[in-house]
Amino acid sequence: MEEITDIKRFARKNDVPVLKDDGADFICNYIKEHNVKRVLEIGTAIGYSAIRFAQVSPKVHVTTIEVNIDRLIKAKQNFHDTGTEDQITSLGGDALLMEVPGEFDLIFIDAAKAQYIRFFEKFKANLAKGGVFISDNLAFHGMVEDISLTHNYSTIKLVKKIRKYIDFLKANTEFHTDFYECGDGIAVSRRITEC
């Protein structure tokens, strides 16, 4: 898994946010344990999480969306280098303006934090029966619980948006959500009618 280490090193060096190890392990275990075959990822970055998901099993196929063209180009190179390119379909553009055909067993939200509610509402039509949404960064480096950790105005605004999303998940009568402290805070949301 030398390539994965290289991708993480590149991400650190270039300030590209990637899934924390225990968060990635949690989702990969979920994919394995629930026999997930079709994943939709909103927010490719440089492809680290899509590669991790694809490496769980050759039967896993990931469709991933990225708005930043430079990151998408790097992600496609990483898919090629790790031999996962046949398992990953990468789409460039704004996920909120895109129609993605098909149903998915797992929809992973890890893009613009301020848009999480809109991503959730838009893509719930793509969720297969028994499927789940998994959302990342709900702790946001501890700031969601303790906003005094930052004095940056734009970060405070972002933390408030994440709190609003958490409240949205808790109040959602269509979905039941479990919250986990692994990674940078993860939520798993499943339709109540299927619980």
Side-chain angles (χ1 to χ4, degrees):
M1 288 247 256
E2 193 176 313
E3 296 97 344
I4 279 287
T5 308
D6 292 341
I7 294 167
K8 279 166 62 179
R9 197 175 297 120
F10 177 91
R12 266 197 307 275
K13 190 177 172 188
N14 294 278
D15 290 323
V16 178
V18 295
L19 198 54
K20 288 188 173 183
D21 288 346
D22 57 339
D25 292 344
F26 175 90
I27 299 170
C28 288
N29 286 334
Y30 186 94
I31 289 169
K32 196 181 297 177
E33 287 169 13
H34 293 84
N35 202 25
V36 168
K37 300 283 195 300
R38 302 157 299 173
V39 177
L40 174 62
E41 175 184 55
I42 303 160
T44 312
I46 56 171
Y48 172 75
S49 46
I51 291 165
R52 288 286 313 268
F53 302 161
Q55 287 178 334
V56 170
S57 163
K59 292 178 180 174
V60 173
H61 188 274
V62 182
T63 300
T64 184
I65 306 169
E66 176 56 50
V67 71
N68 181 310
I69 191 66
D70 293 329
R71 286 185 177 179
L72 189 63
I73 290 166
K74 181 66 178 167
K76 287 183 176 187
Q77 183 61 52
N78 289 334
F79 301 153
H80 173 78
D81 293 348
T82 55
T84 54
E85 60 190 336
D86 291 342
Q87 288 175 259
I88 301 172
T89 301
S90 49
L91 306 172
D94 183 338
L96 291 171
L97 302 176
M98 202 176 281
E99 292 307 316
V100 180
E103 289 190 333
F104 300 89
D105 307 310
L106 191 160
I107 299 177
F108 179 50
I109 303 177
D110 190 23
K113 312 296 168 252
Q115 303 298 332
Y116 271 27
I117 293 175
R118 293 178 70 199
F119 291 139
F120 192 102
E121 293 287 19
K122 177 177 174 62
F123 289 103
K124 69 182 182 182
N126 293 92
L127 196 64
K129 187 172 168 49
V132 295
F133 277 100
I134 295 185
S135 310
D136 190 34
N137 298 123
L138 299 189
F140 205 64
H141 319 294
M143 289 180 239
V144 170
E145 186 152 319
D146 183 4
I147 206 162
S148 71
L149 292 173
T150 182
H151 300 290
N152 178 293
Y153 176 72
S154 58
T155 305
I156 289 169
K157 269 177 65 177
L158 189 57
V159 167
K160 287 180 176 175
K161 291 268 177 72
I162 296 169
R163 284 178 171 177
K164 189 176 174 185
Y165 178 65
I166 292 167
D167 290 341
F168 161 82
L169 292 177
K170 287 178 177 175
N172 197 309
T173 55
E174 191 182 352
F175 285 81
H176 170 79
T177 300
D178 291 308
F179 296 90
Y180 299 89
E181 290 182 7
C182 60
D184 192 26
I186 285 176
V188 178
S189 307
R190 182 187 303 276
R191 274 198 180 93
I192 288 169
T193 53
E194 297 160 5
C195 285

